[in-house]
Amino acid sequence: MKQFFAFCILILSLSCSKETNRSFRGIVSAADNCCSSAEGGRLYKVNIISTDSTITTVLPAGISLGDTIAFNMHGTQAPPAVFCLAICMMPELVQLKDVSKVR
């Protein structure tokens, strides 16, 4: 429940801000092997550093589990198309831009 409220606050801050995006850092924590992106890449869960929030997003092929990434999160754009197996639920996806590894 705590994660849900933290995520809601994060989304509200994005949608109420005058800025169109914000920069974040996160750690790629888990892969979703049940769904795939029509645009390429894989679905991953990303733990946003300094928060309790975890998001699910499509990341490019060069990103893997355990990587620390920097990214911009856009609150108004639609996420990429994703296809899931019949036994899987469609995850809520967040659109990220300017994804890069942090060393």
Side-chain angles (χ1 to χ4, degrees):
M1 194 64 153
K2 191 176 184 182
Q3 280 184 328
F4 175 74
F5 287 120
F7 185 72
C8 287
I9 290 170
L10 182 66
I11 295 299
L12 284 174
S13 67
L14 286 172
S15 61
C16 295
S17 173
K18 291 181 181 179
E19 301 174 29
T20 57
N21 61 51
R22 293 208 171 163
S23 296
F24 295 93
R25 290 180 186 248
I27 298 173
V28 180
S29 61
D32 184 341
N33 296 317
C34 203
C35 298
S36 62
S37 168
E39 298 176 358
R42 292 188 58 193
L43 266 67
Y44 289 101
K45 289 190 182 294
V46 177
N47 294 333
I48 300 175
I49 294 175
S50 300
T51 70
D52 291 338
S53 297
T54 301
I55 57 172
T56 302
T57 189
V58 175
L59 294 175
I63 305 294
S64 58
L65 290 175
D67 287 346
T68 301
I69 59 172
F71 56 90
N72 291 327
M73 189 181 316
H74 296 265
T76 57
Q77 294 184 354
V82 170
F83 301 102
C84 296
L85 298 173
I87 58 172
C88 304
M89 292 186 64
M90 173 68 180
E92 282 191 42
L93 298 177
V94 176
Q95 178 77 29
L96 303 184
K97 294 286 185 188
D98 307 321
V99 177
S100 62
K101 284 186 185 182
V102 176
R103 301 211 188 287

